[in-house]
Amino acid sequence: MGILEKISEIEKEISRTQKNKATEYHLGLLKAKLAKYRAQLLEPSKSAGAKGEGFDVMKSGDARVALIGFPSVGKSTFLSLMTSTESEAASYEFTTLTCIPGVIEYKGANIQLLDLPGIIEGAAQGKGRGRQVIAVARTADVVIMMLDATKGEVQRELLEKELESVGIRLNRTKPNIYFKPKKGGGLSYNSTVPLTQCSEKLVQLILHEYKIFNAEVLFREDCTPDEFIDVIVGNRVYMPCLYVYNKVDQISIEEVDRLARRPHSVVISCGMKLNLDYLLETLWEYLALICIYTKKRGVVRKAILSVFLFCNLQCHRIHRTLASQFKYALVWGTSTKYSPQRVGLTHVMEHEDVIQVVKK
């Protein structure tokens, strides 16, 4: 029996099994086996032969956004509208057969936008070049899932399932679980919160499925068995996702209102150029970028706020010795009490601040 058949059998057994206290250990083992087989499926083939042509492109700009969706939902039209790149658009499916990059210039930042070929159901198993598409999506900072508003929720559910099966977790944070395999000493199991979904016996059974018999496990939040398996596997990607419903000009106003109120969702019409400005604003928020101005303007991540981090991560662009020779900085902007304010390395900067670094 091949890996695909084993995955199918386990999925059927999970769907048949009722979820209750008596079956939680059985379900936990099935989910651990399922995660193992899916990981094997994604491993590159060891058999000799010509390699297929990939379509990843060099990462450039201040952030990368991946456009994914089923064929003929408007991805190429969206790329052409938002960037200066022309991507072929037509009424037939699979117009785009490779990765088309473009650049969105917004608030001083260059955001790389990748138009990926349309994926189909079963992409995680390699259908329709699905593995290559998903591999590129894993390198993005934000995923834009382009959906056809006239198709209801079917496309969203299928795409979420495909991305979930290859370890991409959308709009979720990494589980707060400390996990460290050891050479001996057995299993050390502790928690700082009451656990309702993962008992010590279940954790032990899941670890044994991965041939791990000695480990230290500390739960800092009430996590599910699936989240614990994600921590063990360790190759999961957690990224923000925007669900963009295109072609809203073809549905009723009530349906538009319902879709717009869904979490992480934006409604647009590429054909009529509706709501594209709001989509850009929302995308900027999801990318968590702020502008820090030196003599040459630059863009940094919102998490990079202190002068110390700015010097270590950005000053090498100007000169590699600038950070080590830092004496103090002058800052203009909303983070200061007066302008300019002389600050040290611990000063926290805000959006559109201007900084001047003074050397020793």
Side-chain angles (χ1 to χ4, degrees):
M1 185 183 291
I3 294 178
L4 285 174
E5 289 78 9
K6 291 178 180 178
I7 289 174
S8 179
E9 286 296 319
I10 293 174
E11 287 177 339
K12 288 177 182 177
E13 188 171 350
I14 289 175
S15 63
R16 288 196 303 263
T17 306
Q18 292 183 348
K19 295 179 181 180
N20 53 50
K21 196 72 176 175
T23 61
E24 62 178 356
Y25 301 126
H26 179 60
L27 284 171
L29 280 175
L30 288 176
K31 289 175 180 178
K33 288 179 180 179
L34 185 61
K36 278 180 62 179
Y37 288 134
R38 282 175 173 169
Q40 291 175 22
L41 193 65
L42 293 174
E43 291 175 358
S45 176
K46 295 180 182 178
S47 59
K51 293 184 178 179
E53 182 184 354
F55 47 67
D56 193 12
V57 295
M58 183 179 294
K59 196 169 185 177
S60 65
D62 303 297
R64 169 179 277 195
V65 177
L67 263 177
I68 67 169
F70 283 97
S72 297
V73 293
K75 299 187 301 297
S76 298
T77 306
F78 178 76
L79 179 80
S80 300
L81 286 173
M82 305 305 290
T83 72
S84 57
T85 304
E86 288 296 326
S87 182
E88 184 182 356
S91 58
Y92 54 85
E93 295 186 347
F94 298 105
T95 312
T96 304
L97 299 176
T98 186
C99 179
I100 310 294
V103 177
I104 301 174
E105 296 179 359
Y106 187 69
K107 292 188 177 179
N110 291 325
I111 302 168
Q112 186 182 45
L113 182 64
L114 302 180
D115 177 19
L116 297 173
I119 65 177
I120 59 175
E121 189 175 359
Q125 284 77 43
K127 293 182 181 178
R129 303 194 74 183
R131 289 186 191 176
Q132 293 98 317
V133 173
I134 291 170
V136 176
R138 288 174 68 95
T139 67
D141 299 300
V142 170
V143 166
I144 290 182
M145 190 180 291
M146 189 71 74
L147 304 165
D148 189 337
T150 63
K151 301 290 179 64
E153 301 300 325
V154 178
Q155 289 187 344
R156 176 169 176 167
E157 292 170 1
L158 288 173
L159 285 172
E160 285 177 335
K161 182 181 177 183
E162 294 295 329
L163 296 178
E164 181 84 12
S165 66
V166 295
I168 298 178
R169 305 291 181 255
L170 302 177
N171 297 320
R172 285 157 56 182
T173 56
K174 189 175 181 180
N176 195 357
I177 302 173
Y178 174 77
F179 170 71
K180 183 181 180 181
K182 300 187 297 184
K183 293 183 179 180
L187 175 63
S188 174
Y189 171 87
N190 291 290
S191 65
T192 59
V193 295
L195 298 180
T196 61
Q197 304 173 84
C198 277
S199 64
E200 184 173 0
K201 181 181 176 182
L202 179 57
V203 167
Q204 194 171 28
L205 286 171
I206 292 173
L207 288 174
H208 285 183
E209 182 64 32
Y210 284 90
K211 303 296 188 290
I212 300 173
F213 303 98
N214 305 287
E216 188 176 348
V217 179
L218 174 62
F219 284 80
R220 297 192 180 97
E221 62 181 358
D222 188 15
C223 296
T224 65
D226 292 315
E227 290 173 324
F228 179 59
I229 292 169
D230 286 349
V231 172
I232 296 172
V233 176
N235 63 350
R236 304 314 193 207
V237 178
Y238 300 85
M239 62 174 61
C241 174
L242 262 177
Y243 301 96
V244 178
Y245 291 90
N246 189 25
K247 305 179 183 179
V248 294
D249 52 302
Q250 300 177 25
I251 60 176
S252 66
I253 191 66
E254 292 80 14
E255 182 66 6
V256 172
D257 183 64
R258 187 187 70 82
L259 293 175
R261 293 180 184 276
R262 295 204 63 182
H264 312 292
S265 299
V266 178
V267 294
I268 66 167
S269 171
C270 290
M272 300 185 69
K273 301 180 181 180
L274 298 175
N275 214 30
L276 297 179
D277 291 340
Y278 177 72
L279 173 56
L280 263 183
E281 292 175 14
T282 308
L283 178 61
W284 178 264
E285 293 176 6
Y286 275 62
L287 286 169
L289 295 172
I290 62 171
C291 294
I292 303 296
Y293 297 148
T294 56
K295 260 190 173 181
K296 182 179 178 181
R297 293 185 175 188
V299 181
V300 297
R301 288 276 170 207
K302 196 172 184 180
I304 305 173
L305 295 174
S306 69
V307 174
F308 173 77
L309 290 173
F310 173 81
C311 287
N312 278 279
L313 295 171
Q314 297 295 318
C315 285
H316 71 277
R317 293 184 180 181
I318 304 168
H319 197 280
R320 61 185 177 183
T321 64
L322 187 57
S324 61
Q325 296 179 0
F326 176 87
K327 185 177 182 181
Y328 64 89
L330 297 174
V331 176
W332 292 259
T334 56
S335 68
T336 61
K337 296 179 181 178
Y338 47 87
S339 293
Q341 180 177 342
R342 178 172 168 167
V343 300
L345 291 172
T346 59
H347 178 75
V348 176
M349 303 178 70
E350 294 180 0
H351 182 53
E352 294 195 336
D353 275 2
V354 178
I355 184 172
Q356 176 183 333
V357 176
V358 179
K359 298 196 299 181
K360 294 177 182 176

